[in-house]
Amino acid sequence: MELNTIEWKKDTLVLLDQTKLPNDIVYVEVQTVEKVWDAIHTMIVRGAPAIGVTAAYGVYVAIQHFEGSVTAAKEEVQKQVQYLATSRPTAVNLFWALERMEQKALQIDTNDLEMFQDILLQEAIAIHTEDIEINRSIGEHLLTLLEDGQGVLTHCNAGALATTKYGTATSPFYLAKERGMSFKVFADETRPRFQGAMLTSFELFNAGIDVTLITDNMAATVMAQGKVQGVIVGCDRVAANGDVANKIGTLGVAILAKYYNIPFYVATPTPTIDLHCPTGADIPIEERSVDEVLKPTGQYVAPADVKVYNPSFDVTPAALITAIVTEKGIIEHPTEEKVRAIFN
Ligand SMILES: CSC[C@H]1O[C@H](OP(=O)(O)O)[C@H](O)[C@@H]1O
């Protein structure tokens, strides 16, 4: 069953509604910039790279039916870029994509509105197609760090559903299957939104990849039992010094990996590296609704009025990271100097 996280089809943005998985496969047409904002904010589409690609299309959707001068259209682009930037705060891919679309718009030298609109659409499509190659390349680099048959633990969903194909952390699993290799993947459920259970175990099982779902409190056990020889996670923003913001719970897994001397890899598209962000302490961490914790599947699992703290991400310091694995290469034992060098 081929699932498309994001599609540009018949001049319309179509998103797989990830809030309905794994029970229902529902695609939604997103035809206004407000609905693009809502799709990102409510996590119909989620995952740093997928958020970036969706935002890029969102900029085009905002002026798709615009009427007026190109100058006015450019002003509208700038206004809607600012609006889309408020949809979620942590994944830097959102801001990277919006900045790229805005710069493209401002550089277009034409008074022909249709030409202006088409050039912007082509830029969004380019961001979309580039994501596929980035993910495949990350997978190739990760495969050089792994051995066929190893147990690999992953947290949250940095899979095909978080991107446009392959995923980032899951890319080596898909490439391995194409080549007759196989890893034993352990996907933890990843409360409170259960991306590991609802998305990662779903997409890998659907792809015929060996995946075992574990609860969030089992990472230490599978490591202690020698079932895990590597950890691969995604990321939402990498600071210039190599600190990484990723789904809440990542820090705990990194600490356990350090204790059990298990390599901890962060699969990182370079658009997720924010050189303007000096350290992990400077990364804005999204806090989401208390209802995500109180009633994760609709029924209360705690008193309705109890206090809840629900940061959606945490920060793993560079010292706990064995390597940041990008499409451009591997940054072993990341430091600011090494992170900046990947762009040279
Ligand atoms: C390659 S996806 C990166 C990242 O995004 C996920 O967060 P969310 O599901 O809230 O968008 C998770 O942190 C993944 O690791």
Side-chain angles (χ1 to χ4, degrees):
M1 171 179 30
E2 179 74 22
L3 295 176
N4 290 306
T5 311
I6 303 166
E7 270 189 287
W8 184 258
K9 190 161 67 171
K10 296 177 182 173
D11 220 21
T12 301
L13 177 61
V14 180
L15 299 176
L16 174 63
D17 184 344
Q18 298 191 37
T19 65
K20 298 290 193 301
L21 295 175
N23 300 310
D24 300 302
I25 311 292
V26 175
Y27 286 94
V28 293
E29 291 188 353
V30 185
Q31 295 172 315
T32 67
V33 67
E34 292 78 13
K35 286 184 177 176
V36 172
W37 187 97
D38 188 68
I40 294 170
H41 186 73
T42 61
M43 298 174 66
I44 286 172
V45 62
R46 33 64 51 199
I51 289 170
V53 171
T54 300
Y57 281 119
V59 173
Y60 172 71
V61 167
I63 53 97
Q64 185 176 10
H65 303 298
F66 185 84
E67 292 181 0
S69 69
V70 169
T71 300
K74 289 184 178 182
E75 290 167 1
E76 183 67 10
V77 163
Q78 290 179 293
K79 174 186 168 189
Q80 298 303 342
V81 159
Q82 295 305 315
Y83 169 63
L84 287 166
T86 64
S87 53
R88 288 186 77 185
T90 304
V92 72
N93 307 61
L94 170 67
F95 309 99
W96 170 85
L98 290 173
E99 170 73 16
R100 177 166 160 180
M101 291 296 287
E102 182 175 20
Q103 289 308 311
K104 187 67 178 182
L106 297 177
Q107 290 162 10
I108 298 171
D109 183 12
T110 179
N111 292 318
D112 181 327
L113 181 61
E114 275 192 38
M115 180 182 292
F116 173 80
Q117 290 164 323
D118 185 59
I119 293 171
L120 267 191
L121 174 58
Q122 294 313 311
E123 190 70 7
I125 292 171
I127 290 171
H128 189 172
T129 52
E130 285 166 18
D131 182 59
I132 298 171
E133 179 50 32
I134 286 173
N135 301 332
R136 197 198 56 74
S137 180
I138 288 172
E140 295 288 0
H141 287 303
L142 278 164
L143 282 177
T144 68
L145 301 169
L146 302 168
E147 291 176 24
D148 190 11
Q150 283 186 324
V152 183
L153 185 145
T154 190
H155 182 69
C156 196
N157 176 254
L161 290 169
T163 67
T164 51
K165 188 178 180 182
Y166 293 120
T168 57
T170 62
S171 183
F173 309 148
Y174 288 104
L175 295 179
K177 179 148 182 70
E178 292 174 2
R179 301 169 188 178
M181 298 164 60
S182 174
F183 297 104
K184 295 176 178 59
V185 182
F186 291 89
D188 66 25
E189 60 187 351
T190 315
R191 294 175 65 87
R193 292 285 303 232
F194 292 94
Q195 289 94 326
M198 295 182 171
L199 304 178
T200 301
S201 76
F202 168 74
E203 71 166 78
L204 295 182
F205 181 76
N206 176 49
I209 291 169
D210 181 339
V211 58
T212 301
L213 176 63
I214 60 173
T215 58
D216 284 334
N217 47 16
M218 282 184 62
T221 295
V222 291
M223 290 181 185
Q225 292 175 347
K227 295 179 188 294
V228 174
Q229 286 74 48
V231 176
I232 311 176
V233 299
C235 55
D236 292 86
R237 191 180 308 219
V238 179
N241 73 341
D243 294 345
V244 169
N246 195 51
K247 184 54 51 195
I248 190 74
T250 303
L251 175 58
V253 172
I255 292 167
L256 289 170
K258 192 77 174 180
Y259 179 83
Y260 286 104
N261 198 28
I262 295 170
F264 184 88
Y265 301 123
V266 180
T268 305
T270 52
T272 314
I273 298 176
D274 182 358
L275 295 180
H276 303 295
C277 186
T279 73
D282 304 297
I283 299 175
I285 300 297
E286 178 183 20
E287 287 197 41
R288 294 185 65 89
S289 164
V290 298
D291 285 346
E292 290 188 350
V293 179
L294 287 172
K295 42 184 180 177
T297 57
Q299 298 297 318
Y300 278 102
V301 295
D305 297 327
V306 72
K307 280 196 290 186
V308 173
Y309 179 36
N310 183 28
S312 197
F313 301 94
D314 59 25
V315 174
T316 299
L320 291 177
I321 298 170
T322 308
I324 289 175
V325 183
T326 78
E327 73 280 11
K328 296 177 186 287
I330 299 171
I331 306 171
E332 293 188 347
H333 307 303
T335 62
E336 178 158 353
E337 182 181 3
K338 291 180 182 178
V339 170
R340 290 186 179 277
I342 202 76
F343 291 93
N344 296 336

